[in-house]
Amino acid sequence: GAGVSQTPSNKVTEKGKYVELRCDPISGHTALYWYRQSLGQGPEFLIYFQGTGAADDSGLPNDRFFAVRPEGSVSTLKIQRTERGDSAVYLCASSPSGGANTGELFFGEGSRLTVL
Amino acid sequence: QQPVQSPQAVILREGEDAVINCSSSKALYSVHWYRQKHGEAPVFLMILLKGGEQKGHEKISASFNEKKQQSSLYLTASQLSYSGTYFCGTERSVNAGNMLTFGGGTRLMVKP
């Protein structure tokens, strides 16, 4: 079956530009997560969706970052006025459920963002 | 607060054993272990929950000391396929919803 799909796999942009990263989770998974991974580091939590709503966005670094999941499946991470420090691999993960049901996260291969 | 993993890197020969540790300064509800190969997605290995429950792959062995807020992953009779970076991720409460705080990783290289 299909896993978590992320597009684009690579994105190079210039400082100040707007970027959108897309995540297509495993069908039927209600929970969706965005993480950011810098070189040589562990993934860093950004935002968690349960269905269509953002259950927790405490990891978003500032108001340049925003994410949506309008129909409860595909999610888009949006970054405005990109900065060089935003360069990282953005990982998306999904899970059959969230809340108190701790369980396996299924990660995508990530979108590598490079800001020049 | 990010958990601390040790060692940061280890090199093994095929068939040798290794232990990877994960330590937190805060009380934990669960510890999750993932392996990531270069350029690939992290892959789930195991979850250890407060109270002793474990979920994961049969060939993986790990422990969780709730009082010390520490977990260890045991890799026995290592194979070449075990190479990669191992991450522990922690949850501090039962309603954390899988929002994990990951450690910095332990790089494992298994040589023939």
Side-chain angles (χ1 to χ4, degrees), chain A residues 6 33-35 37 43 89-93 107-110, chain B residues 36 42:
Chain A
Q6 292 189 245
Y33 309 79
W34 284 98
Y35 284 83
Q37 187 173 28
V89 175
Y90 288 81
L91 294 168
C92 177
F107 281 90
E109 293 195 342
Chain B
Q36 185 178 31

Side-chain angles (χ1 to χ4, degrees), chain A residues 33 35 37 40-43 45 48 56 95 97 99-100 102-105 107-109, chain B residues 29 32 34 36 41-42 44 47 49 55 87 91 94-95 97-100 102-104:
Chain A
Y33 309 79
Y35 284 83
Q37 187 173 28
Q41 302 295 318
F45 169 75
Y48 155 48
D56 192 307
S95 176
S97 62
T102 192
E104 178 178 355
L105 292 179
F107 281 90
E109 293 195 342
Chain B
Y29 167 69
H32 302 225
Y34 284 80
Q36 185 178 31
F44 170 78
I47 296 170
L49 298 164
K55 308 179 191 180
F87 293 101
E91 284 181 300
V94 66
N95 291 315
N98 274 342
M99 290 179 290
L100 303 179
F102 284 96

Side-chain angles (χ1 to χ4, degrees), chain B residues 7-105:
Chain B
Q8 289 187 318
V10 60
I11 299 174
L12 297 176
R13 293 285 180 190
E14 257 187 306
E16 291 182 339
D17 302 338
V19 180
I20 299 173
N21 301 300
C22 175
S23 179
S24 173
S25 60
K26 304 287 186 183
L28 299 175
Y29 167 69
S30 69
V31 179
H32 302 225
W33 287 96
Y34 284 80
R35 177 173 60 214
Q36 185 178 31
K37 295 183 181 285
H38 184 68
E40 298 183 8
V43 173
F44 170 78
L45 297 176
M46 172 165 281
I47 296 170
L48 302 105
L49 298 164
K50 189 176 179 180
E53 184 182 355
Q54 296 187 2
K55 308 179 191 180
H57 301 290
E58 292 178 3
K59 293 187 177 181
I60 299 293
S61 173
S63 65
F64 178 23
N65 186 322
E66 298 167 29
K67 286 185 180 178
K68 292 186 177 180
Q69 292 101 242
Q70 292 176 348
S71 177
S72 295
L73 184 69
Y74 305 98
L75 302 171
T76 57
S78 59
Q79 304 171 18
L80 295 176
S81 62
Y82 288 10
S83 293
T85 302
Y86 290 76
F87 293 101
C88 70
T90 58
E91 284 181 300
R92 293 186 54 199
S93 73
V94 66
N95 291 315
N98 274 342
M99 290 179 290
L100 303 179
T101 302
F102 284 96

